[in-house]
Amino acid sequence: MENNSYLLETLKEFGNISGGNAAASLALLMDTQVYLSVSKVDKMTQLDLKTNDLRVEEHMISILLPFDGDMEGMLLFLLNQTFAQTYLKKGDATGCVCAYQLQEQELKMLEETASIMASAFMEGIASYLKYAIRIQQPSITMDMKGSILNEVLTMAVQDQHQALRISRSFWVSSCETPNELIFLVKGNSVDKLCASLEVSR
């Protein structure tokens, strides 16, 4: 991938357009401006998930949405709790966010929001490539421990470092700590994508 600038730029453009679609859907839900970093494209390895590369922290809320069909992989949202509580309007009279554990219904709202953003993200890619892509049910946890981390690690191991990652940070003015939207594409889907674009890795 490192030597194929066309593929790299195409994947970045996918991330820019699709990430913009996801951010626009969130902006409508929150009625506020959503800011985005530029897309970053690289290979995914086990090491990434065991370091601070993804800024995996105890206060992160992780939402994983696998997808399959003409493209296979996962969409991973890493939300900081301050953003989540701001989104759920859990502040006191001074506007400060109170520290507390999110309730089941509130976690469900975050899952639904991630599903809306994921649909907006995938729509641009599916439309451009004329792919049929199905987004599966989300799973959520209050950190990256347990099943979500295991699923992503398993994907990294099975793909033998052929999986690719497109990542973007996003935030709102009332909560400038960045959240992460990470698009993980399985190696076989990367090969199919290369064939569709008529480029080599």
Side-chain angles (χ1 to χ4, degrees), residues 50-89:
K50 294 179 179 178
T51 67
N52 290 327
D53 186 51
L54 295 183
R55 291 207 290 271
V56 173
E57 300 166 357
E58 288 295 328
H59 68 280
M60 283 288 189
I61 298 166
S62 311
I63 307 173
L64 183 69
L65 298 99
F67 57 86
D68 57 19
D70 291 333
M71 179 180 282
E72 296 182 335
M74 303 173 181
L75 268 170
L76 177 63
F77 292 85
L78 297 178
L79 309 178
N80 67 76
Q81 279 201 39
T82 303
F83 168 82
Q85 293 165 352
T86 300
Y87 176 67
L88 295 167
K89 297 179 171 53

PDB file of all heavy atoms in Angstrom, residues 50-89:
ATOM      1  N   LYS A  50      -3.027  -2.773  21.355  1.00  0.00           N
ATOM      2  CA  LYS A  50      -2.465  -2.991  22.687  1.00  0.00           C
ATOM      3  C   LYS A  50      -1.654  -1.786  23.155  1.00  0.00           C
ATOM      4  O   LYS A  50      -1.012  -1.821  24.179  1.00  0.00           O
ATOM      5  CB  LYS A  50      -1.586  -4.246  22.676  1.00  0.00           C
ATOM      6  CG  LYS A  50      -2.384  -5.527  22.428  1.00  0.00           C
ATOM      7  CD  LYS A  50      -1.479  -6.742  22.397  1.00  0.00           C
ATOM      8  CE  LYS A  50      -2.279  -8.025  22.183  1.00  0.00           C
ATOM      9  NZ  LYS A  50      -1.432  -9.227  22.095  1.00  0.00           N
ATOM     10  N   THR A  51      -1.681  -0.729  22.350  1.00  0.00           N
ATOM     11  CA  THR A  51      -0.965   0.490  22.698  1.00  0.00           C
ATOM     12  C   THR A  51      -1.961   1.631  22.760  1.00  0.00           C
ATOM     13  O   THR A  51      -3.165   1.446  22.671  1.00  0.00           O
ATOM     14  CB  THR A  51       0.112   0.802  21.639  1.00  0.00           C
ATOM     15  OG1 THR A  51      -0.555   1.131  20.401  1.00  0.00           O
ATOM     16  CG2 THR A  51       1.031  -0.383  21.425  1.00  0.00           C
ATOM     17  N   ASN A  52      -1.449   2.837  22.875  1.00  0.00           N
ATOM     18  CA  ASN A  52      -2.322   4.005  22.903  1.00  0.00           C
ATOM     19  C   ASN A  52      -2.629   4.536  21.514  1.00  0.00           C
ATOM     20  O   ASN A  52      -3.151   5.637  21.364  1.00  0.00           O
ATOM     21  CB  ASN A  52      -1.680   5.120  23.741  1.00  0.00           C
ATOM     22  CG  ASN A  52      -1.653   4.775  25.212  1.00  0.00           C
ATOM     23  OD1 ASN A  52      -2.547   4.109  25.698  1.00  0.00           O
ATOM     24  ND2 ASN A  52      -0.622   5.207  25.901  1.00  0.00           N
ATOM     25  N   ASP A  53      -2.310   3.750  20.488  1.00  0.00           N
ATOM     26  CA  ASP A  53      -2.509   4.208  19.124  1.00  0.00           C
ATOM     27  C   ASP A  53      -3.963   4.594  18.865  1.00  0.00           C
ATOM     28  O   ASP A  53      -4.251   5.531  18.143  1.00  0.00           O
ATOM     29  CB  ASP A  53      -2.069   3.115  18.146  1.00  0.00           C
ATOM     30  CG  ASP A  53      -2.111   3.581  16.705  1.00  0.00           C
ATOM     31  OD1 ASP A  53      -1.544   4.646  16.430  1.00  0.00           O
ATOM     32  OD2 ASP A  53      -2.720   2.896  15.871  1.00  0.00           O
ATOM     33  N   LEU A  54      -4.911   3.864  19.445  1.00  0.00           N
ATOM     34  CA  LEU A  54      -6.318   4.175  19.282  1.00  0.00           C
ATOM     35  C   LEU A  54      -6.861   4.974  20.460  1.00  0.00           C
ATOM     36  O   LEU A  54      -8.054   5.188  20.569  1.00  0.00           O
ATOM     37  CB  LEU A  54      -7.140   2.890  19.131  1.00  0.00           C
ATOM     38  CG  LEU A  54      -6.872   2.047  17.898  1.00  0.00           C
ATOM     39  CD1 LEU A  54      -7.818   0.853  17.878  1.00  0.00           C
ATOM     40  CD2 LEU A  54      -7.042   2.856  16.632  1.00  0.00           C
ATOM     41  N   ARG A  55      -5.984   5.411  21.329  1.00  0.00           N
ATOM     42  CA  ARG A  55      -6.373   6.146  22.528  1.00  0.00           C
ATOM     43  C   ARG A  55      -7.427   5.372  23.321  1.00  0.00           C
ATOM     44  O   ARG A  55      -8.438   5.919  23.769  1.00  0.00           O
ATOM     45  CB  ARG A  55      -6.872   7.554  22.180  1.00  0.00           C
ATOM     46  CG  ARG A  55      -5.784   8.464  21.669  1.00  0.00           C
ATOM     47  CD  ARG A  55      -6.109   9.907  21.963  1.00  0.00           C
ATOM     48  NE  ARG A  55      -7.206  10.400  21.181  1.00  0.00           N
ATOM     49  CZ  ARG A  55      -7.068  10.960  19.973  1.00  0.00           C
ATOM     50  NH1 ARG A  55      -5.880  11.056  19.441  1.00  0.00           N
ATOM     51  NH2 ARG A  55      -8.109  11.413  19.326  1.00  0.00           N
ATOM     52  N   VAL A  56      -7.208   4.073  23.462  1.00  0.00           N
ATOM     53  CA  VAL A  56      -8.126   3.232  24.224  1.00  0.00           C
ATOM     54  C   VAL A  56      -7.928   3.521  25.705  1.00  0.00           C
ATOM     55  O   VAL A  56      -6.856   3.328  26.247  1.00  0.00           O
ATOM     56  CB  VAL A  56      -7.881   1.745  23.935  1.00  0.00           C
ATOM     57  CG1 VAL A  56      -8.728   0.876  24.850  1.00  0.00           C
ATOM     58  CG2 VAL A  56      -8.183   1.449  22.479  1.00  0.00           C
ATOM     59  N   GLU A  57      -8.972   4.001  26.348  1.00  0.00           N
ATOM     60  CA  GLU A  57      -8.882   4.371  27.752  1.00  0.00           C
ATOM     61  C   GLU A  57     -10.118   3.868  28.484  1.00  0.00           C
ATOM     62  O   GLU A  57     -11.128   3.523  27.896  1.00  0.00           O
ATOM     63  CB  GLU A  57      -8.780   5.898  27.879  1.00  0.00           C
ATOM     64  CG  GLU A  57      -7.545   6.473  27.176  1.00  0.00           C
ATOM     65  CD  GLU A  57      -7.644   7.976  27.024  1.00  0.00           C
ATOM     66  OE1 GLU A  57      -8.682   8.544  27.410  1.00  0.00           O
ATOM     67  OE2 GLU A  57      -6.686   8.568  26.508  1.00  0.00           O
ATOM     68  N   GLU A  58     -10.028   3.862  29.805  1.00  0.00           N
ATOM     69  CA  GLU A  58     -11.137   3.365  30.607  1.00  0.00           C
ATOM     70  C   GLU A  58     -12.416   4.165  30.386  1.00  0.00           C
ATOM     71  O   GLU A  58     -13.510   3.641  30.496  1.00  0.00           O
ATOM     72  CB  GLU A  58     -10.758   3.406  32.097  1.00  0.00           C
ATOM     73  CG  GLU A  58      -9.735   2.361  32.492  1.00  0.00           C
ATOM     74  CD  GLU A  58     -10.253   0.942  32.345  1.00  0.00           C
ATOM     75  OE1 GLU A  58     -11.467   0.726  32.539  1.00  0.00           O
ATOM     76  OE2 GLU A  58      -9.464   0.050  32.027  1.00  0.00           O
ATOM     77  N   HIS A  59     -12.299   5.466  30.079  1.00  0.00           N
ATOM     78  CA  HIS A  59     -13.498   6.280  29.951  1.00  0.00           C
ATOM     79  C   HIS A  59     -14.096   6.238  28.556  1.00  0.00           C
ATOM     80  O   HIS A  59     -15.082   6.915  28.267  1.00  0.00           O
ATOM     81  CB  HIS A  59     -13.202   7.734  30.329  1.00  0.00           C
ATOM     82  CG  HIS A  59     -12.296   8.440  29.376  1.00  0.00           C
ATOM     83  ND1 HIS A  59     -10.937   8.286  29.407  1.00  0.00           N
ATOM     84  CD2 HIS A  59     -12.557   9.275  28.344  1.00  0.00           C
ATOM     85  CE1 HIS A  59     -10.387   9.026  28.450  1.00  0.00           C
ATOM     86  NE2 HIS A  59     -11.339   9.624  27.793  1.00  0.00           N
ATOM     87  N   MET A  60     -13.534   5.431  27.682  1.00  0.00           N
ATOM     88  CA  MET A  60     -14.066   5.324  26.330  1.00  0.00           C
ATOM     89  C   MET A  60     -15.286   4.406  26.284  1.00  0.00           C
ATOM     90  O   MET A  60     -15.309   3.358  26.919  1.00  0.00           O
ATOM     91  CB  MET A  60     -13.004   4.775  25.371  1.00  0.00           C
ATOM     92  CG  MET A  60     -11.951   5.778  24.956  1.00  0.00           C
ATOM     93  SD  MET A  60     -12.626   7.006  23.808  1.00  0.00           S
ATOM     94  CE  MET A  60     -11.111   7.831  23.319  1.00  0.00           C
ATOM     95  N   ILE A  61     -16.283   4.807  25.528  1.00  0.00           N
ATOM     96  CA  ILE A  61     -17.426   3.959  25.224  1.00  0.00           C
ATOM     97  C   ILE A  61     -17.192   3.422  23.815  1.00  0.00           C
ATOM     98  O   ILE A  61     -17.012   4.191  22.874  1.00  0.00           O
ATOM     99  CB  ILE A  61     -18.742   4.751  25.289  1.00  0.00           C
ATOM    100  CG1 ILE A  61     -18.943   5.290  26.704  1.00  0.00           C
ATOM    101  CG2 ILE A  61     -19.915   3.887  24.850  1.00  0.00           C
ATOM    102  CD1 ILE A  61     -20.018   6.344  26.801  1.00  0.00           C
ATOM    103  N   SER A  62     -17.175   2.124  23.665  1.00  0.00           N
ATOM    104  CA  SER A  62     -16.863   1.488  22.389  1.00  0.00           C
ATOM    105  C   SER A  62     -18.132   0.913  21.779  1.00  0.00           C
ATOM    106  O   SER A  62     -18.879   0.195  22.451  1.00  0.00           O
ATOM    107  CB  SER A  62     -15.843   0.366  22.585  1.00  0.00           C
ATOM    108  OG  SER A  62     -14.747   0.811  23.348  1.00  0.00           O
ATOM    109  N   ILE A  63     -18.372   1.222  20.504  1.00  0.00           N
ATOM    110  CA  ILE A  63     -19.516   0.683  19.777  1.00  0.00           C
ATOM    111  C   ILE A  63     -18.989   0.060  18.490  1.00  0.00           C
ATOM    112  O   ILE A  63     -18.344   0.732  17.689  1.00  0.00           O
ATOM    113  CB  ILE A  63     -20.567   1.760  19.457  1.00  0.00           C
ATOM    114  CG1 ILE A  63     -20.977   2.507  20.736  1.00  0.00           C
ATOM    115  CG2 ILE A  63     -21.792   1.131  18.785  1.00  0.00           C
ATOM    116  CD1 ILE A  63     -21.892   3.690  20.491  1.00  0.00           C
ATOM    117  N   LEU A  64     -19.258  -1.212  18.317  1.00  0.00           N
ATOM    118  CA  LEU A  64     -18.748  -1.963  17.173  1.00  0.00           C
ATOM    119  C   LEU A  64     -19.903  -2.389  16.278  1.00  0.00           C
ATOM    120  O   LEU A  64     -20.887  -2.966  16.752  1.00  0.00           O
ATOM    121  CB  LEU A  64     -17.979  -3.197  17.648  1.00  0.00           C
ATOM    122  CG  LEU A  64     -17.316  -4.054  16.566  1.00  0.00           C
ATOM    123  CD1 LEU A  64     -16.157  -3.296  15.924  1.00  0.00           C
ATOM    124  CD2 LEU A  64     -16.828  -5.369  17.152  1.00  0.00           C
ATOM    125  N   LEU A  65     -19.783  -2.097  14.980  1.00  0.00           N
ATOM    126  CA  LEU A  65     -20.803  -2.500  14.010  1.00  0.00           C
ATOM    127  C   LEU A  65     -20.131  -3.275  12.876  1.00  0.00           C
ATOM    128  O   LEU A  65     -19.513  -2.669  11.990  1.00  0.00           O
ATOM    129  CB  LEU A  65     -21.533  -1.281  13.436  1.00  0.00           C
ATOM    130  CG  LEU A  65     -22.306  -0.419  14.425  1.00  0.00           C
ATOM    131  CD1 LEU A  65     -21.489   0.812  14.812  1.00  0.00           C
ATOM    132  CD2 LEU A  65     -23.650   0.010  13.846  1.00  0.00           C
ATOM    133  N   PRO A  66     -20.206  -4.590  12.894  1.00  0.00           N
ATOM    134  CA  PRO A  66     -19.668  -5.376  11.777  1.00  0.00           C
ATOM    135  C   PRO A  66     -20.509  -5.125  10.520  1.00  0.00           C
ATOM    136  O   PRO A  66     -21.694  -4.781  10.606  1.00  0.00           O
ATOM    137  CB  PRO A  66     -19.822  -6.828  12.252  1.00  0.00           C
ATOM    138  CG  PRO A  66     -20.035  -6.739  13.728  1.00  0.00           C
ATOM    139  CD  PRO A  66     -20.755  -5.440  13.956  1.00  0.00           C
ATOM    140  N   PHE A  67     -19.897  -5.297   9.364  1.00  0.00           N
ATOM    141  CA  PHE A  67     -20.651  -5.204   8.114  1.00  0.00           C
ATOM    142  C   PHE A  67     -20.159  -6.287   7.161  1.00  0.00           C
ATOM    143  O   PHE A  67     -19.024  -6.754   7.243  1.00  0.00           O
ATOM    144  CB  PHE A  67     -20.527  -3.809   7.476  1.00  0.00           C
ATOM    145  CG  PHE A  67     -19.124  -3.356   7.180  1.00  0.00           C
ATOM    146  CD1 PHE A  67     -18.488  -3.692   5.990  1.00  0.00           C
ATOM    147  CD2 PHE A  67     -18.427  -2.578   8.102  1.00  0.00           C
ATOM    148  CE1 PHE A  67     -17.190  -3.265   5.721  1.00  0.00           C
ATOM    149  CE2 PHE A  67     -17.129  -2.156   7.840  1.00  0.00           C
ATOM    150  CZ  PHE A  67     -16.507  -2.497   6.647  1.00  0.00           C
ATOM    151  N   ASP A  68     -21.052  -6.714   6.274  1.00  0.00           N
ATOM    152  CA  ASP A  68     -20.697  -7.751   5.308  1.00  0.00           C
ATOM    153  C   ASP A  68     -21.437  -7.500   4.001  1.00  0.00           C
ATOM    154  O   ASP A  68     -22.050  -6.453   3.817  1.00  0.00           O
ATOM    155  CB  ASP A  68     -20.997  -9.154   5.866  1.00  0.00           C
ATOM    156  CG  ASP A  68     -22.447  -9.334   6.285  1.00  0.00           C
ATOM    157  OD1 ASP A  68     -23.306  -8.545   5.829  1.00  0.00           O
ATOM    158  OD2 ASP A  68     -22.729 -10.253   7.070  1.00  0.00           O
ATOM    159  N   GLY A  69     -21.374  -8.463   3.095  1.00  0.00           N
ATOM    160  CA  GLY A  69     -21.921  -8.282   1.758  1.00  0.00           C
ATOM    161  C   GLY A  69     -20.787  -8.172   0.775  1.00  0.00           C
ATOM    162  O   GLY A  69     -19.844  -8.984   0.795  1.00  0.00           O
ATOM    163  N   ASP A  70     -20.817  -7.158  -0.082  1.00  0.00           N
ATOM    164  CA  ASP A  70     -19.747  -6.972  -1.068  1.00  0.00           C
ATOM    165  C   ASP A  70     -18.463  -6.430  -0.447  1.00  0.00           C
ATOM    166  O   ASP A  70     -17.416  -6.396  -1.100  1.00  0.00           O
ATOM    167  CB  ASP A  70     -20.211  -6.023  -2.182  1.00  0.00           C
ATOM    168  CG  ASP A  70     -21.294  -6.643  -3.056  1.00  0.00           C
ATOM    169  OD1 ASP A  70     -21.316  -7.887  -3.157  1.00  0.00           O
ATOM    170  OD2 ASP A  70     -22.100  -5.896  -3.624  1.00  0.00           O
ATOM    171  N   MET A  71     -18.532  -5.998   0.782  1.00  0.00           N
ATOM    172  CA  MET A  71     -17.349  -5.564   1.533  1.00  0.00           C
ATOM    173  C   MET A  71     -17.520  -6.038   2.967  1.00  0.00           C
ATOM    174  O   MET A  71     -18.618  -5.968   3.515  1.00  0.00           O
ATOM    175  CB  MET A  71     -17.181  -4.047   1.474  1.00  0.00           C
ATOM    176  CG  MET A  71     -15.984  -3.509   2.245  1.00  0.00           C
ATOM    177  SD  MET A  71     -15.835  -1.690   2.134  1.00  0.00           S
ATOM    178  CE  MET A  71     -15.126  -1.526   0.496  1.00  0.00           C
ATOM    179  N   GLU A  72     -16.441  -6.520   3.584  1.00  0.00           N
ATOM    180  CA  GLU A  72     -16.520  -7.035   4.950  1.00  0.00           C
ATOM    181  C   GLU A  72     -15.547  -6.302   5.855  1.00  0.00           C
ATOM    182  O   GLU A  72     -14.439  -5.956   5.450  1.00  0.00           O
ATOM    183  CB  GLU A  72     -16.198  -8.530   4.971  1.00  0.00           C
ATOM    184  CG  GLU A  72     -17.190  -9.393   4.206  1.00  0.00           C
ATOM    185  CD  GLU A  72     -16.852 -10.862   4.310  1.00  0.00           C
ATOM    186  OE1 GLU A  72     -15.672 -11.196   4.545  1.00  0.00           O
ATOM    187  OE2 GLU A  72     -17.766 -11.682   4.150  1.00  0.00           O
ATOM    188  N   GLY A  73     -15.984  -6.085   7.067  1.00  0.00           N
ATOM    189  CA  GLY A  73     -15.130  -5.431   8.045  1.00  0.00           C
ATOM    190  C   GLY A  73     -15.935  -4.973   9.241  1.00  0.00           C
ATOM    191  O   GLY A  73     -16.966  -5.558   9.578  1.00  0.00           O
ATOM    192  N   MET A  74     -15.491  -3.886   9.869  1.00  0.00           N
ATOM    193  CA  MET A  74     -16.134  -3.375  11.078  1.00  0.00           C
ATOM    194  C   MET A  74     -16.006  -1.857  11.123  1.00  0.00           C
ATOM    195  O   MET A  74     -15.008  -1.292  10.673  1.00  0.00           O
ATOM    196  CB  MET A  74     -15.455  -3.941  12.331  1.00  0.00           C
ATOM    197  CG  MET A  74     -15.430  -5.447  12.413  1.00  0.00           C
ATOM    198  SD  MET A  74     -14.428  -6.010  13.835  1.00  0.00           S
ATOM    199  CE  MET A  74     -14.576  -7.806  13.630  1.00  0.00           C
ATOM    200  N   LEU A  75     -17.027  -1.230  11.666  1.00  0.00           N
ATOM    201  CA  LEU A  75     -16.961   0.181  12.021  1.00  0.00           C
ATOM    202  C   LEU A  75     -16.888   0.262  13.539  1.00  0.00           C
ATOM    203  O   LEU A  75     -17.712  -0.327  14.234  1.00  0.00           O
ATOM    204  CB  LEU A  75     -18.186   0.938  11.518  1.00  0.00           C
ATOM    205  CG  LEU A  75     -18.096   1.586  10.140  1.00  0.00           C
ATOM    206  CD1 LEU A  75     -19.471   2.073   9.707  1.00  0.00           C
ATOM    207  CD2 LEU A  75     -17.105   2.731  10.127  1.00  0.00           C
ATOM    208  N   LEU A  76     -15.897   0.967  14.035  1.00  0.00           N
ATOM    209  CA  LEU A  76     -15.690   1.088  15.472  1.00  0.00           C
ATOM    210  C   LEU A  76     -15.768   2.552  15.878  1.00  0.00           C
ATOM    211  O   LEU A  76     -15.049   3.392  15.337  1.00  0.00           O
ATOM    212  CB  LEU A  76     -14.318   0.510  15.845  1.00  0.00           C
ATOM    213  CG  LEU A  76     -13.886   0.608  17.307  1.00  0.00           C
ATOM    214  CD1 LEU A  76     -14.821  -0.194  18.205  1.00  0.00           C
ATOM    215  CD2 LEU A  76     -12.438   0.120  17.465  1.00  0.00           C
ATOM    216  N   PHE A  77     -16.661   2.846  16.813  1.00  0.00           N
ATOM    217  CA  PHE A  77     -16.761   4.188  17.386  1.00  0.00           C
ATOM    218  C   PHE A  77     -16.179   4.154  18.793  1.00  0.00           C
ATOM    219  O   PHE A  77     -16.552   3.297  19.601  1.00  0.00           O
ATOM    220  CB  PHE A  77     -18.223   4.641  17.465  1.00  0.00           C
ATOM    221  CG  PHE A  77     -18.872   4.891  16.138  1.00  0.00           C
ATOM    222  CD1 PHE A  77     -19.441   3.848  15.424  1.00  0.00           C
ATOM    223  CD2 PHE A  77     -18.927   6.171  15.606  1.00  0.00           C
ATOM    224  CE1 PHE A  77     -20.049   4.069  14.198  1.00  0.00           C
ATOM    225  CE2 PHE A  77     -19.537   6.406  14.374  1.00  0.00           C
ATOM    226  CZ  PHE A  77     -20.095   5.346  13.672  1.00  0.00           C
ATOM    227  N   LEU A  78     -15.279   5.082  19.078  1.00  0.00           N
ATOM    228  CA  LEU A  78     -14.735   5.255  20.421  1.00  0.00           C
ATOM    229  C   LEU A  78     -15.179   6.635  20.913  1.00  0.00           C
ATOM    230  O   LEU A  78     -14.706   7.661  20.432  1.00  0.00           O
ATOM    231  CB  LEU A  78     -13.205   5.161  20.417  1.00  0.00           C
ATOM    232  CG  LEU A  78     -12.601   3.822  19.973  1.00  0.00           C
ATOM    233  CD1 LEU A  78     -11.076   3.904  19.971  1.00  0.00           C
ATOM    234  CD2 LEU A  78     -13.063   2.683  20.870  1.00  0.00           C
ATOM    235  N   LEU A  79     -16.105   6.646  21.840  1.00  0.00           N
ATOM    236  CA  LEU A  79     -16.680   7.886  22.345  1.00  0.00           C
ATOM    237  C   LEU A  79     -16.201   8.136  23.761  1.00  0.00           C
ATOM    238  O   LEU A  79     -16.255   7.245  24.604  1.00  0.00           O
ATOM    239  CB  LEU A  79     -18.208   7.797  22.358  1.00  0.00           C
ATOM    240  CG  LEU A  79     -18.898   7.337  21.074  1.00  0.00           C
ATOM    241  CD1 LEU A  79     -20.402   7.259  21.291  1.00  0.00           C
ATOM    242  CD2 LEU A  79     -18.570   8.266  19.909  1.00  0.00           C
ATOM    243  N   ASN A  80     -15.735   9.350  24.023  1.00  0.00           N
ATOM    244  CA  ASN A  80     -15.379   9.658  25.409  1.00  0.00           C
ATOM    245  C   ASN A  80     -16.659   9.947  26.187  1.00  0.00           C
ATOM    246  O   ASN A  80     -17.668  10.399  25.635  1.00  0.00           O
ATOM    247  CB  ASN A  80     -14.371  10.809  25.486  1.00  0.00           C
ATOM    248  CG  ASN A  80     -14.950  12.130  25.027  1.00  0.00           C
ATOM    249  OD1 ASN A  80     -15.719  12.762  25.741  1.00  0.00           O
ATOM    250  ND2 ASN A  80     -14.576  12.560  23.823  1.00  0.00           N
ATOM    251  N   GLN A  81     -16.635   9.669  27.472  1.00  0.00           N
ATOM    252  CA  GLN A  81     -17.855   9.776  28.283  1.00  0.00           C
ATOM    253  C   GLN A  81     -18.385  11.199  28.357  1.00  0.00           C
ATOM    254  O   GLN A  81     -19.594  11.410  28.410  1.00  0.00           O
ATOM    255  CB  GLN A  81     -17.603   9.224  29.692  1.00  0.00           C
ATOM    256  CG  GLN A  81     -17.678   7.715  29.767  1.00  0.00           C
ATOM    257  CD  GLN A  81     -17.944   7.234  31.189  1.00  0.00           C
ATOM    258  OE1 GLN A  81     -18.705   7.823  31.935  1.00  0.00           O
ATOM    259  NE2 GLN A  81     -17.297   6.146  31.554  1.00  0.00           N
ATOM    260  N   THR A  82     -17.487  12.184  28.332  1.00  0.00           N
ATOM    261  CA  THR A  82     -17.942  13.574  28.386  1.00  0.00           C
ATOM    262  C   THR A  82     -18.803  13.900  27.179  1.00  0.00           C
ATOM    263  O   THR A  82     -19.855  14.531  27.287  1.00  0.00           O
ATOM    264  CB  THR A  82     -16.746  14.536  28.466  1.00  0.00           C
ATOM    265  OG1 THR A  82     -15.961  14.213  29.604  1.00  0.00           O
ATOM    266  CG2 THR A  82     -17.217  15.978  28.565  1.00  0.00           C
ATOM    267  N   PHE A  83     -18.354  13.453  26.008  1.00  0.00           N
ATOM    268  CA  PHE A  83     -19.154  13.668  24.801  1.00  0.00           C
ATOM    269  C   PHE A  83     -20.494  12.949  24.916  1.00  0.00           C
ATOM    270  O   PHE A  83     -21.549  13.509  24.589  1.00  0.00           O
ATOM    271  CB  PHE A  83     -18.404  13.157  23.569  1.00  0.00           C
ATOM    272  CG  PHE A  83     -19.267  13.072  22.343  1.00  0.00           C
ATOM    273  CD1 PHE A  83     -19.503  14.197  21.568  1.00  0.00           C
ATOM    274  CD2 PHE A  83     -19.861  11.873  21.969  1.00  0.00           C
ATOM    275  CE1 PHE A  83     -20.322  14.127  20.447  1.00  0.00           C
ATOM    276  CE2 PHE A  83     -20.675  11.789  20.859  1.00  0.00           C
ATOM    277  CZ  PHE A  83     -20.908  12.924  20.088  1.00  0.00           C
ATOM    278  N   ALA A  84     -20.460  11.696  25.354  1.00  0.00           N
ATOM    279  CA  ALA A  84     -21.692  10.911  25.462  1.00  0.00           C
ATOM    280  C   ALA A  84     -22.684  11.585  26.398  1.00  0.00           C
ATOM    281  O   ALA A  84     -23.881  11.685  26.102  1.00  0.00           O
ATOM    282  CB  ALA A  84     -21.377   9.502  25.950  1.00  0.00           C
ATOM    283  N   GLN A  85     -22.196  12.070  27.527  1.00  0.00           N
ATOM    284  CA  GLN A  85     -23.075  12.709  28.505  1.00  0.00           C
ATOM    285  C   GLN A  85     -23.593  14.050  27.987  1.00  0.00           C
ATOM    286  O   GLN A  85     -24.726  14.439  28.254  1.00  0.00           O
ATOM    287  CB  GLN A  85     -22.336  12.850  29.837  1.00  0.00           C
ATOM    288  CG  GLN A  85     -22.068  11.484  30.479  1.00  0.00           C
ATOM    289  CD  GLN A  85     -21.031  11.543  31.587  1.00  0.00           C
ATOM    290  OE1 GLN A  85     -20.393  12.561  31.799  1.00  0.00           O
ATOM    291  NE2 GLN A  85     -20.855  10.432  32.276  1.00  0.00           N
ATOM    292  N   THR A  86     -22.741  14.766  27.228  1.00  0.00           N
ATOM    293  CA  THR A  86     -23.185  16.009  26.597  1.00  0.00           C
ATOM    294  C   THR A  86     -24.276  15.710  25.574  1.00  0.00           C
ATOM    295  O   THR A  86     -25.304  16.401  25.514  1.00  0.00           O
ATOM    296  CB  THR A  86     -22.008  16.714  25.902  1.00  0.00           C
ATOM    297  OG1 THR A  86     -21.011  17.027  26.863  1.00  0.00           O
ATOM    298  CG2 THR A  86     -22.461  17.987  25.211  1.00  0.00           C
ATOM    299  N   TYR A  87     -24.063  14.667  24.781  1.00  0.00           N
ATOM    300  CA  TYR A  87     -25.050  14.274  23.778  1.00  0.00           C
ATOM    301  C   TYR A  87     -26.381  13.896  24.430  1.00  0.00           C
ATOM    302  O   TYR A  87     -27.453  14.235  23.928  1.00  0.00           O
ATOM    303  CB  TYR A  87     -24.509  13.096  22.963  1.00  0.00           C
ATOM    304  CG  TYR A  87     -25.492  12.541  21.963  1.00  0.00           C
ATOM    305  CD1 TYR A  87     -25.884  13.296  20.863  1.00  0.00           C
ATOM    306  CD2 TYR A  87     -26.041  11.275  22.127  1.00  0.00           C
ATOM    307  CE1 TYR A  87     -26.793  12.802  19.948  1.00  0.00           C
ATOM    308  CE2 TYR A  87     -26.957  10.775  21.221  1.00  0.00           C
ATOM    309  CZ  TYR A  87     -27.330  11.539  20.124  1.00  0.00           C
ATOM    310  OH  TYR A  87     -28.237  11.044  19.228  1.00  0.00           O
ATOM    311  N   LEU A  88     -26.289  13.224  25.553  1.00  0.00           N
ATOM    312  CA  LEU A  88     -27.499  12.803  26.256  1.00  0.00           C
ATOM    313  C   LEU A  88     -28.054  13.897  27.173  1.00  0.00           C
ATOM    314  O   LEU A  88     -29.005  13.664  27.920  1.00  0.00           O
ATOM    315  CB  LEU A  88     -27.205  11.544  27.091  1.00  0.00           C
ATOM    316  CG  LEU A  88     -26.833  10.304  26.271  1.00  0.00           C
ATOM    317  CD1 LEU A  88     -26.259   9.219  27.176  1.00  0.00           C
ATOM    318  CD2 LEU A  88     -28.037   9.774  25.505  1.00  0.00           C
ATOM    319  N   LYS A  89     -27.400  15.097  27.101  1.00  0.00           N
ATOM    320  CA  LYS A  89     -27.840  16.264  27.890  1.00  0.00           C
ATOM    321  C   LYS A  89     -27.843  15.959  29.381  1.00  0.00           C
ATOM    322  O   LYS A  89     -28.787  16.272  30.108  1.00  0.00           O
ATOM    323  CB  LYS A  89     -29.213  16.736  27.427  1.00  0.00           C
ATOM    324  CG  LYS A  89     -29.220  17.220  25.984  1.00  0.00           C
ATOM    325  CD  LYS A  89     -30.604  17.655  25.559  1.00  0.00           C
ATOM    326  CE  LYS A  89     -30.585  18.333  24.198  1.00  0.00           C
ATOM    327  NZ  LYS A  89     -29.955  17.581  23.134  1.00  0.00           N
TER     328      LYS A  89
END
